[in-house]
Amino acid sequence: MTFRRRIAILVTGLALGLIHSFADARQSDPLNEKALGSFLDPLFASKMVDEHVPGAVISVVWKNEIVFAKGYGVADVTHETPVDPAMTIFRIGSTTKALTALGVLNAVDRGTLDLDADINTYLDHFKVEQGYDAPVRVKHLLSHTGGFDQLGVNRSFLDPARRPSLADWLKRDLRTIRSPGRDSCYDTYGISLAGHLLEAVSGLDYATYMRQHVFEPLGMKRTAVEAPDAWRDNLAMGYSFNGSDYVQQPYEYYTSRPASSIDATAIDMGNLLIALLGDGANHHGRVFSAGMADRLHRPQYRAHPDFPGFAWGFWEELTNGQRVISHGGVMWGFNSLLYMIPEQELGLFIAINRDPETGPHTQMVGDIKDRLMDAWFPPVEPEPDPVMPEPLPIDTKRFEGTYIGNLYRHTCPEGEGWMPNRSGSRLTSVGPGVIKSPSREYYAVEPLLFVDATGRLKLAFSEDDQGRIAAVAFNARSPGLTEEKVDARLIEEVAGAAWRDGPMPSIAAIVYRLTEQWADAARAYDEIAGSAEPKSMGLAMARYQGGYCHLENGDGAAAAERLAASRVFFEHLMEQSGPLGRLGRQYFRQSHFNQIAAHAVAGQNDEAFALIHEAINKYGVPPAAIAEDLLESPKMKNLLDDPRFEALKN
């Protein structure tokens, strides 16, 4: 019997053997071990089977006490080691960011950091270039408003000996691209800089500072920035799922340690929650003052007073009538969540040793949290839709345009780092005081605030220092998902006013492509490809994007030439394992299809059908599926009258 079969029988039996199912929980049940066990045990059991999760853990804190802590499943598939909430160490990924913020608040309490100080006050190894009216301040690092580019390159290593120091990595990759404090953007780089500030003011490395000033005072005895070798026997193994088996993931060593690298037990995280929900201390000791603990819970940035935003280190949300502050984390093999309702003195920590991004998608961590919230804090009845006032008769032309999520690399060469979305949101001006998205109209109720007809969905815009529209935030989305306006202003803000005098910046190509200025976009990508390293991802991506833009501009021959070159690179990349292999397969399929379209546009039917038969014979694509794709694409119309198309259909 396979391990997966044994664990399925074990957890299913647990679910069936319990008298109370999670559906029986009532809001009136006390938050104690018995009630939570009756609710959570069958819920974890069913979720772990349904979503292929080998191991999980939870701790629940209420009124200064860990009222429930339990492990489920196994920490190690090979040895079938049970998960122990006190002993099993889970990697918490980006939840680390929240704990780093606590370390900074500890330093503020100690008088070694000032939240309002310019970050360069504390930096000796390097200085951050700041080209805006106001400096980046320490407080901006804790609320995702530092204005840093999110490159996403050279962060993860399997060999720690190859990893640069935190200071060296920041010196190379820390780049400001927008005015600090104006817009939020989920920020790995700002909080990593905050960890380096702890090093700068203490003389300790980040890991040692966190151990001495956060973990040890709170009795977090099995928590560390990267679990030491002596603890590795208790470290849960992280897994992906390939559809039939668990695949063990390697241990990642991050340059962005203050954003990514804390490992902890559920009991330790429970002890942390006691301090965070209380006055900054638990029965082991104190991490910061009661006054600082109170400030920790307050919102520190909101795009608009009505919107959820950021507390120091935590995201805000409103769930079932409760104001929540939380932070989650995803990394290879792991998913975690630290979640608090300060007004209810309730907090929980959940972790699993399977990441949600590989194999069948798992939403287990979020679903567990949602079910618990619905049981003890049921959804509130919605208030009637408000009576909408007449919209302000303002000129809405300046809001019109394309907007895209700002969490991507703006300053990296093409093909490197976190890529932008391939499409954005489009807002159009309808008339005075009215703008329209593809799904609804919004009405101006303040100069920079619009609401829909229900009064529930809201858009808050920001302006740059010249009064131009810079970004839009949505009250119904997480605060880290701001969308920036994609236009010439963005190129100037990122690359400087004199950007045309130098090499083509990748942000210009992105702006041209997203605003469908196809000739300019094709020219920009061709220029970027001309300066790219041979046989590099950057060259392949520039050729791919350039080919796509030439195709949209109607130049099929130029498009085919560039797409053919990119396709060769992606075909080799497909042979890689992990994320690179998945990326290679994705772009190979797209470049292959676009190259067929390019030949069709150029009237090169023989070349197009040669690629079609390659897809059939070499990659096993069904002819009928290809025929269906050809019918759906206007660019393929030259192929539809060809007798070879009829053969595909039949």
Side-chain angles (χ1 to χ4, degrees):
M1 183 182 295
T2 67
F3 165 75
R4 285 187 60 245
R5 176 65 178 156
R6 287 198 297 272
I7 196 66
I9 291 173
L10 170 65
V11 295
T12 303
L14 172 64
L16 294 175
L18 289 166
I19 297 174
H20 301 290
S21 76
F22 51 78
D24 296 326
R26 297 290 184 270
Q27 184 187 10
S28 58
D29 290 343
L31 276 164
N32 59 29
E33 185 174 11
K34 180 179 178 182
L36 286 165
S38 296
F39 176 82
L40 291 170
D41 286 351
L43 181 55
F44 270 90
S46 64
K47 282 289 181 184
M48 291 171 71
V49 171
D50 293 345
E51 302 192 19
H52 310 287
V53 175
V57 72
I58 186 171
S59 55
V60 181
V61 167
W62 188 48
K63 295 187 181 298
N64 298 313
E65 181 183 353
I66 299 177
V67 294
F68 186 82
K70 190 167 184 177
Y72 299 89
V74 299
D76 183 332
V77 167
T78 302
H79 299 99
E80 301 186 20
T81 309
V83 174
D84 182 329
M87 296 296 295
T88 305
I89 300 167
F90 281 76
R91 309 212 69 194
I92 68 171
S94 286
T95 303
T96 298
K97 294 179 174 71
L99 276 65
T100 297
L102 306 180
V104 171
L105 298 181
N106 169 274
V108 171
D109 249 358
R110 295 164 61 85
T112 57
L113 282 176
D114 181 346
L115 287 167
D116 290 314
D118 182 336
I119 54 173
N120 282 332
T121 304
Y122 304 105
L123 295 175
D124 294 324
H125 189 74
F126 63 94
K127 299 291 184 183
V128 177
E129 292 186 14
Q130 305 187 54
Y132 303 96
D133 291 341
V136 180
R137 304 186 189 279
V138 175
K139 63 184 179 183
H140 294 137
L141 308 182
L142 309 187
S143 59
H144 299 271
T145 57
F148 296 109
D149 196 7
Q150 303 302 300
L151 276 63
V153 294
N154 299 316
R155 289 181 55 239
S156 176
F157 295 82
L158 300 182
D159 179 2
R162 296 181 55 220
R163 175 176 58 179
S165 71
L166 178 58
D168 287 343
W169 173 68
L170 290 169
K171 180 180 179 180
R172 184 191 63 200
D173 287 351
L174 199 61
R175 305 168 191 176
T176 54
I177 58 168
R178 68 180 65 88
S179 181
R182 187 188 74 200
D183 302 318
S184 63
C185 174
Y186 182 59
D187 189 357
T188 291
Y189 289 78
I191 199 67
S192 296
L193 177 59
H196 177 59
L197 294 187
L198 296 178
E199 297 180 329
V201 300
S202 70
L204 304 172
D205 64 79
Y206 164 73
T208 302
Y209 188 97
M210 294 297 290
R211 175 172 56 81
Q212 292 185 2
H213 295 289
V214 179
F215 306 150
E216 289 180 351
L218 296 180
M220 300 171 70
K221 298 179 180 179
R222 303 191 69 76
T223 296
V225 179
E226 298 175 347
D229 290 343
W231 295 4
R232 291 299 173 101
D233 287 345
N234 294 116
L235 181 68
M237 295 293 104
Y239 297 93
S240 63
F241 186 72
N242 65 9
S244 59
D245 296 299
Y246 294 116
V247 179
Q248 184 173 320
Q249 297 298 298
Y251 191 97
E252 294 179 276
Y253 293 90
Y254 280 96
T255 48
S256 57
R257 287 183 287 278
S260 318
S261 298
I262 289 176
D263 304 335
T265 67
I267 291 294
D268 280 0
M269 295 299 281
N271 282 327
L272 173 68
L273 282 166
I274 291 172
L276 298 184
L277 290 163
D279 65 355
N282 61 21
H283 58 283
H284 294 284
R286 177 171 295 281
V287 68
F288 41 61
S289 66
M292 186 63 76
D294 178 64
R295 294 172 69 189
L296 169 71
H297 297 159
R298 301 177 193 171
Q300 301 298 331
Y301 169 84
R302 287 176 172 173
H304 185 275
D306 293 345
F307 285 32
F310 288 103
W312 281 325
F314 291 92
W315 302 60
E316 275 192 304
E317 64 180 74
L318 186 67
T319 300
N320 296 0
Q322 305 293 324
R323 178 179 175 267
V324 173
I325 58 174
S326 67
H327 208 298
V330 174
M331 64 195 308
W332 285 0
F334 294 92
N335 187 193
S336 72
L337 176 67
L338 187 64
Y339 193 85
M340 293 182 285
I341 311 176
E343 287 74 14
Q344 300 290 346
E345 301 179 77
L346 175 68
L348 58 96
F349 171 75
I350 307 171
I352 62 175
N353 60 343
R354 179 161 100 74
D355 67 72
E357 297 176 342
T358 55
H361 187 71
T362 172
Q363 297 178 317
M364 177 175 167
V365 169
D367 287 348
I368 295 282
K369 173 264 296 180
D370 289 342
R371 296 295 290 270
L372 193 150
M373 286 292 293
D374 289 346
W376 267 270
F377 305 98
V380 296
E381 288 294 325
E383 297 179 0
D385 290 349
V387 177
M388 286 297 301
E390 286 293 318
L392 296 178
I394 61 175
D395 182 6
T396 55
K397 282 292 185 181
R398 71 192 195 109
F399 300 97
E400 191 170 64
T402 298
Y403 295 77
I404 187 174
N406 61 5
L407 203 174
Y408 67 94
R409 53 102 185 122
H410 295 65
T411 60
C412 280
E414 188 67 31
E416 295 184 12
W418 290 323
M419 298 182 190
N421 293 334
R422 280 178 279 173
S423 61
S425 304
R426 178 72 184 171
L427 296 177
T428 55
S429 171
V430 176
V434 185
I435 57 176
K436 188 179 187 301
S437 74
S439 62
R440 68 191 66 232
E441 289 186 346
Y442 292 87
Y443 308 94
V445 293
E446 297 176 13
L448 295 173
L449 181 69
F450 290 72
V451 301
D452 76 343
T454 70
R456 299 183 188 283
L457 298 180
K458 303 179 181 182
L459 309 178
F461 292 86
S462 66
E463 297 174 320
D464 67 9
D465 55 7
Q466 298 181 42
R468 298 173 296 183
I469 296 299
V472 63
F474 305 78
N475 72 322
R477 297 187 190 175
S478 297
L481 302 180
T482 303
E483 293 193 357
E484 62 192 5
K485 192 175 184 186
V486 182
D487 56 10
R489 185 210 64 83
L490 178 62
I491 304 175
E492 181 180 314
E493 183 170 56
V494 172
W499 66 270
R500 289 181 178 83
D501 298 335
M504 178 66 69
S506 61
I507 187 63
I510 291 168
V511 168
Y512 291 146
R513 174 171 57 84
L514 290 172
T515 53
E516 300 182 0
Q517 300 177 64
W518 298 120
D520 287 336
R523 174 180 55 80
Y525 282 115
D526 284 350
E527 185 174 330
I528 290 170
S531 60
E533 290 290 328
K535 298 181 179 180
S536 67
M537 174 71 86
L539 177 58
M541 286 301 300
R543 283 173 167 168
Y544 168 79
Q545 297 287 13
Y548 177 80
C549 295
H550 278 290
L551 177 59
E552 291 295 329
N553 197 44
D555 189 344
E561 177 186 351
R562 288 152 180 79
L563 290 164
S566 70
R567 196 166 63 90
V568 171
F569 179 90
F570 295 131
E571 187 169 23
H572 289 299
L573 195 64
M574 288 167 57
E575 301 171 2
Q576 300 287 325
S577 61
L580 280 178
R582 291 195 295 273
L583 186 71
R585 288 187 289 275
Q586 173 190 344
Y587 279 99
F588 176 81
R589 288 192 295 267
Q590 293 170 358
S591 58
H592 194 116
F593 183 81
N594 286 340
Q595 189 181 347
I596 294 171
H599 287 305
V601 168
Q604 300 167 344
N605 287 19
D606 289 347
E607 289 85 348
F609 278 101
L611 286 173
I612 289 170
H613 287 292
E614 180 181 336
I616 295 169
N617 298 325
K618 187 174 181 179
Y619 301 107
V621 181
I626 294 177
E628 184 176 342
D629 287 342
L630 298 186
L631 283 169
E632 291 179 356
S633 174
K635 295 181 177 64
M636 303 293 190
K637 62 183 180 181
N638 285 347
L639 306 181
L640 302 186
D641 294 331
D642 192 300
R644 287 169 289 190
F645 174 70
E646 291 300 321
L648 288 178
K649 292 169 59 178
N650 300 323

